[in-house]
Amino acid sequence: MLFRSRTQLVAVASRSLALIHLQLLQPARLRTLRALAEVPKLRQLAIIASAATWTDTAASVDTEPSGHFNLNPVIRSLQLAGPLSGPSALDFILHFPHLTSLNISDSTSSDVVPFLEEVPNASNIKCLSVSSMLPVDSAVSQFTALDTLHLVDDSTFTDDIFDELVMLPLTTVHIECEDISAVGLLDLVAGSATLQSLHLHLSPMFDFEYGETIDDWRLPLWTERFDFEDAQELLIQAGEYGVEICEQLVEALECEYLFEDLLHPKKGAEEAPNTKLTVS
């Protein structure tokens, strides 16, 4: 719902004291968020912001005697999309000291590392999702209690991030991108003492309609950094370390094995890893 004034938000808040989740789409003035204090049970907040949003935020903060919004202090989950650079955006995150889940997305060329570094009590964050045009590798290490990490887009991270991830108590990692380092994934599976599940959404690699076509058989679109042999090794290693692997990877390998079996029946059977895995 789009709130165009604080009056509207207060009116809704006064009728929704049991409200748990609230989404604001490009609020004209974030000063209206003071009304959130009137929703005592609110735990989840989602905001789609714009550059104008932060301009109004700065003006609003200047008018506050304390220099802070009177936000609901018990919001646990924050989802924030929009430009996240600049002092107003950095100040805004400081008003959420009790977060356990943070989801941010910035499609501009802004560096979101300063924003992540300002997250108060980062050691309390259990779930983090990031989509950014610039890598956030250097910022993830502060989330020392992180259980679940979701990285979206190739630009959000580099190969260096895997050195940081193996040091965190992660049980679940989701990665959505076009290409990825097999070496980094293998290091994560072997080096993490806590990892239980690895979800890879690699497009167009696993979208068979984009792959190579041989005799009307569509194959996965492997890359130099993650090829057929790498996928086999990752599957085997995941089995050895008890890590659930994404079903898409298994299906991509099965496609290769079936195609090879059609051409060379014995060779295809010999190449398929004899490993029982739980897939996710």
Side-chain angles (χ1 to χ4, degrees):
M1 179 179 292
L2 175 61
F3 295 97
R4 298 188 180 279
S5 69
R6 181 176 185 273
T7 302
Q8 281 185 311
L9 183 53
V10 170
V12 172
S14 63
R15 297 193 303 268
S16 308
L17 296 182
L19 189 67
I20 296 176
H21 177 86
L22 177 64
Q23 182 173 6
L24 302 176
L25 304 179
Q26 295 186 346
R29 292 179 179 273
L30 279 182
R31 70 184 67 181
T32 61
L33 292 180
R34 298 182 196 132
L36 296 179
E38 301 183 36
V39 192
K41 294 186 178 181
L42 185 64
R43 297 295 182 270
Q44 302 171 8
L45 177 63
I47 298 175
I48 299 178
S50 65
T53 297
W54 301 129
T55 300
D56 275 326
T57 301
S60 180
V61 171
D62 290 341
T63 64
E64 286 289 314
S66 64
H68 293 283
F69 287 110
N70 184 22
L71 293 180
N72 188 324
V74 290
I75 291 176
R76 299 287 190 259
S77 175
L78 177 64
Q79 182 177 353
L80 189 58
L84 301 179
S85 63
S88 297
L90 299 184
D91 179 77
F92 180 70
I93 191 62
L94 296 177
H95 306 298
F96 299 91
H98 302 291
L99 293 177
T100 58
S101 177
L102 178 62
N103 182 327
I104 66 170
S105 176
D106 188 337
S107 59
T108 71
S109 57
S110 303
D111 184 2
V112 302
V113 168
F115 181 89
L116 289 172
E117 291 177 341
E118 288 296 322
V119 174
N121 301 319
S123 60
N124 292 334
I125 301 291
K126 303 291 185 182
C127 181
L128 176 65
S129 177
V130 182
S131 176
S132 170
M133 295 301 291
L134 294 174
V136 298
D137 304 357
S138 61
V140 297
S141 60
Q142 67 178 328
F143 299 96
T144 55
L146 201 59
D147 176 83
T148 301
L149 177 64
H150 193 164
L151 299 171
V152 183
D153 296 329
D154 299 70
S155 55
T156 302
F157 64 97
T158 71
D159 296 348
D160 294 337
I161 200 170
F162 294 105
D163 294 332
E164 306 293 340
L165 299 188
V166 296
M167 305 301 293
L168 298 175
L170 290 164
T171 64
T172 304
V173 174
H174 299 257
I175 300 177
E176 298 181 37
C177 62
E178 293 185 6
D179 195 9
I180 197 167
S181 165
V183 174
L185 292 173
L186 291 167
D187 288 345
L188 176 61
V189 169
S192 173
T194 56
L195 189 64
Q196 299 175 11
S197 181
L198 178 61
H199 302 261
L200 301 175
H201 302 276
L202 307 181
S203 178
M205 187 184 301
F206 292 164
D207 295 338
F208 297 134
E209 62 266 28
Y210 296 106
E212 183 182 8
T213 301
I214 302 178
D215 295 334
D216 294 326
W217 192 277
R218 187 80 71 174
L219 298 173
L221 187 62
W222 306 109
T223 69
E224 292 184 1
R225 301 171 67 223
F226 192 96
D227 60 21
F228 175 47
E229 288 74 20
D230 293 327
Q232 291 186 104
E233 180 62 26
L234 181 61
L235 186 66
I236 294 171
Q237 188 161 289
E240 292 177 351
Y241 287 93
V243 176
E244 293 183 358
I245 201 73
C246 59
E247 187 173 355
Q248 291 165 310
L249 176 64
V250 177
E251 291 175 347
L253 286 171
E254 287 179 343
C255 179
E256 289 279 2
Y257 299 145
L258 288 172
F259 175 70
E260 188 63 30
D261 192 51
L262 289 175
L263 297 180
H264 311 285
K266 292 183 179 180
K267 184 178 180 182
E270 291 172 355
E271 285 189 352
N274 184 21
T275 305
K276 293 183 179 180
L277 290 178
T278 302
V279 298
S280 56

